[in-house]
Amino acid sequence: MQTRTLERRLGDWLRAKLPTPITEFVMFVVKMGWATLFGGLLLVGMIVSSKIWQADWPIARYDALVAYALTLQILFLVFKLETFSEAKVILLFHLTGTIMEVFKLHMGSWDYPGAGVLKIAGVPLFSGFMYASVGSFMARAIRLFDMRFAPFPPYALTLLFAGVIYLNFFTHHFIPDLRIGIFLCSLLLFWRTRIWFEIGRWYWMPLPLAAFLSSFFLWIAENVGTATQTWLYNGQSASDLVNFSKMGSWYMLLYVAFGTVTLVLREPLSKGPIDPNRPAG
C-alpha cells in the first residue's frame, strides 16, 4: 500500500507539471524500472564483481554472487517488495532453471569459466537467481501495473504449452527442434490475448508482442553476463555479442516463466474481454 501511495503522489505531481502523454510515459518508465529492480541489481552485481574481483581473494566471485543474490531475495521479502506466495513460485522457477542449466552445461551449450564452491555439477547456484529475476519481474510488473490478461486461453492448455517448451530445451539435443512450431503455437494460442496495464488510464499490448520485446531486453542482459564472463556460450569470447537466436530461446522461456507465475497469480487472468472504459485504479 505504501508503494502505491508513493506512485500516486508521484503521478499527481507529474500531471501538475507536465502534459499527460509525457507524464504517463515517465510513469511507465518508473514502474518498469521498479519492476526490474531485482534483475537490475543482479546485473550491477555481475558488472561490479567482474571489475574488482581478484583471483587470490578468499571467496570466489561466483560464491560471492550467490551470497549477494540470496541477500537481495531476503531483503525483498523483509521490505515486502515480494510476497511469500510470489517467492514460492519464483523459487520453483529458480529450481527448474537450475535443472536446465545442469543439463545444458553437460551438453556443452555454455560454460561458467570461474571457480566456486557453491556449484551443482559445475553450475554455480547463482545462475538460478537469474531465472528467478525473470519471475520476480513478471510478478512485480503484474502488481505494479494492475495487469489483466484477456481474453485468456484455457488455463490447462497454457500450462501444457509451457511444459512442451520446457521439455524442448532438453529434447532438441536428440530429436528435431520444435521451436518453429512453438513460435507458431504461441501466436495461435495467444493471438487474441491482450495485456491490459494501467498508467493513469488503461493501455493494452498483444501478449506475443510483449514477450518478443521482453526477449530483446533479456538478450541485452545476456550480453552483460557474457561481457563480464559470468558465463560464455560455446565458441564465444567475452568480446562477442550473444547470437540473436538466443532471443528466440528467451521468447520461449518467457512462456514457461509466465506459466509458473500464474500458478500463484491467477486473478489477473480473464476468459472474457476487458472493458477499456473501466475506471483506472
Side-chain angles (χ1 to χ4, degrees), residues 52-125:
I52 68 172
W53 220 260
Q54 303 298 318
D56 58 351
W57 284 9
I59 182 174
R61 176 181 172 231
Y62 284 160
D63 296 337
L65 285 172
V66 173
Y68 171 69
L70 185 59
T71 301
L72 285 180
Q73 185 64 77
I74 293 171
L75 290 175
F76 267 55
L77 290 172
V78 169
F79 289 100
K80 299 181 179 180
L81 298 178
E82 285 175 358
T83 66
F84 278 99
S85 60
E86 290 169 354
K88 290 177 184 177
V89 76
I90 289 168
L91 174 62
L92 176 60
F93 194 49
H94 183 129
L95 294 174
T96 55
T98 300
I99 291 170
M100 188 171 70
E101 286 281 327
V102 170
F103 176 80
K104 289 291 189 178
L105 189 69
H106 175 72
M107 298 303 295
S109 298
W110 54 75
D111 187 32
Y112 290 92
V117 174
L118 301 177
K119 287 186 173 184
I120 298 177
V123 175
L125 296 181

Side-chain angles (χ1 to χ4, degrees), residues 24 29 38 41 67-69 130 143 154 175 205 207 247 252:
E24 292 177 352
V29 173
F38 188 89
L41 290 174
Y68 171 69
M130 295 184 291
R143 184 172 64 251
I175 63 175
M205 178 183 293
L207 191 149
M247 280 183 58
M252 293 190 296

Side-chain angles (χ1 to χ4, degrees), residues 164 167-168 171-172 175-184 252:
V164 169
L167 287 176
N168 186 67
T171 59
H172 82 85
I175 63 175
D177 194 345
L178 302 178
R179 69 172 52 204
I180 299 300
I182 288 172
F183 293 155
L184 293 175
M252 293 190 296

Side-chain angles (χ1 to χ4, degrees), residues 11-272:
D12 291 342
W13 182 82
L14 287 172
R15 277 186 284 272
K17 303 291 183 180
L18 299 171
T20 298
I22 297 177
T23 299
E24 292 177 352
F25 174 75
V26 171
M27 289 302 299
F28 176 80
V29 173
V30 169
K31 285 191 174 189
M32 285 297 291
W34 191 238
T36 58
L37 183 61
F38 188 89
L41 290 174
L42 282 184
L43 290 179
V44 170
M46 286 190 281
I47 294 170
V48 172
S49 62
S50 71
K51 298 295 184 183
I52 68 172
W53 220 260
Q54 303 298 318
D56 58 351
W57 284 9
I59 182 174
R61 176 181 172 231
Y62 284 160
D63 296 337
L65 285 172
V66 173
Y68 171 69
L70 185 59
T71 301
L72 285 180
Q73 185 64 77
I74 293 171
L75 290 175
F76 267 55
L77 290 172
V78 169
F79 289 100
K80 299 181 179 180
L81 298 178
E82 285 175 358
T83 66
F84 278 99
S85 60
E86 290 169 354
K88 290 177 184 177
V89 76
I90 289 168
L91 174 62
L92 176 60
F93 194 49
H94 183 129
L95 294 174
T96 55
T98 300
I99 291 170
M100 188 171 70
E101 286 281 327
V102 170
F103 176 80
K104 289 291 189 178
L105 189 69
H106 175 72
M107 298 303 295
S109 298
W110 54 75
D111 187 32
Y112 290 92
V117 174
L118 301 177
K119 287 186 173 184
I120 298 177
V123 175
L125 296 181
F126 165 73
S127 67
F129 286 99
M130 295 184 291
Y131 293 90
S133 69
V134 178
S136 173
F137 162 72
M138 285 189 174
R140 287 165 56 75
I142 289 171
R143 184 172 64 251
L144 289 169
F145 287 95
D146 195 20
M147 287 183 176
R148 296 292 183 270
F149 302 83
F152 200 74
Y155 182 65
L157 193 58
T158 64
L159 292 184
L160 176 63
F161 180 61
V164 169
I165 293 173
Y166 186 69
L167 287 176
N168 186 67
F169 281 109
F170 296 85
T171 59
H172 82 85
H173 290 280
F174 312 106
I175 63 175
D177 194 345
L178 302 178
R179 69 172 52 204
I180 299 300
I182 288 172
F183 293 155
L184 293 175
C185 285
S186 72
L187 298 177
L188 290 173
L189 189 59
F190 293 101
W191 73 276
R192 295 179 60 240
T193 304
R194 298 176 174 182
I195 302 178
W196 290 90
F197 56 98
E198 186 264 320
I199 327 171
R201 64 186 181 91
W202 292 102
Y203 293 88
W204 64 270
M205 178 183 293
L207 191 149
L209 176 59
F212 172 77
L213 294 175
S214 298
S215 68
F216 172 72
F217 287 105
L218 286 167
W219 176 81
I220 293 175
E222 282 228 85
N223 279 281
V224 174
T226 56
T228 57
Q229 299 190 62
T230 306
W231 67 87
L232 289 171
Y233 286 101
N234 185 24
Q236 182 193 18
S237 68
S239 60
D240 296 332
L241 285 177
V242 174
N243 194 295
F244 278 109
S245 66
K246 298 303 177 185
M247 280 183 58
S249 298
W250 274 113
Y251 176 84
M252 293 190 296
L253 198 59
L254 282 165
Y255 286 99
V256 179
F258 182 64
T260 306
V261 169
T262 60
L263 292 173
V264 168
L265 300 178
R266 298 279 293 277
E267 185 181 348
L269 312 181
S270 175
K271 292 182 179 180

